[in-house]
Amino acid sequence: MFPENTTHRPVQQAVTIHQPTPITSYPAAPVVPVQPGTLPAVTSIVLPDGRVITGYAIDPGQPEPVVAKPLVSRTAVNIALGGIGFGAVCGGLVLLTTFIAALAALVQQLIILAAVIFGGWIALQVLTAGRKQGSTTVNIRKAVIKRNHFHG
């Protein structure tokens, strides 16, 4: 397998080291006129090794105001208000059903009263029919009927 190396060790090859190439500086970009106040001021910082870094100063961002959380959630408040409303309505429903039951009993009593009065009126009409003017009362006593002729 390894004809040039009899000890079966890999052959060492020469290592080449590449140094990074420095970045070449490019000509400065043309300056675009900007209204004052729209861009922050340019700041330059000199590092201890002598390099100068130029850039915009960035103001630290303001944290968003913390919205105070309510002590009780809206859902809990809505459920509680719904329970109170339901309790208030239940009292009204009990009164409503009581009123409907009383009204039904009243109508039933009025129907019975009308039937009694109307039935009594009809009974009076039937029983007093013979006592009106123009009617004749016939008393039959030992009547004799001869040859289909009545002799009283």
Side-chain angles (χ1 to χ4, degrees), residues 1-37:
M1 287 175 88
F2 301 103
E4 66 273 357
N5 188 356
T6 57
T7 60
H8 299 290
R9 292 187 189 163
V11 178
Q12 294 183 357
Q13 296 178 354
V15 178
T16 57
I17 300 174
H18 296 283
Q19 296 293 333
T21 56
I23 298 174
T24 58
S25 61
Y26 293 100
V31 178
V32 179
V34 180
Q35 295 179 353

Side-chain angles (χ1 to χ4, degrees), residues 25-49:
S25 61
Y26 293 100
V31 178
V32 179
V34 180
Q35 295 179 353
T38 57
L39 293 177
V42 177
T43 306
S44 296
I45 300 174
V46 179
L47 295 177
D49 60 354

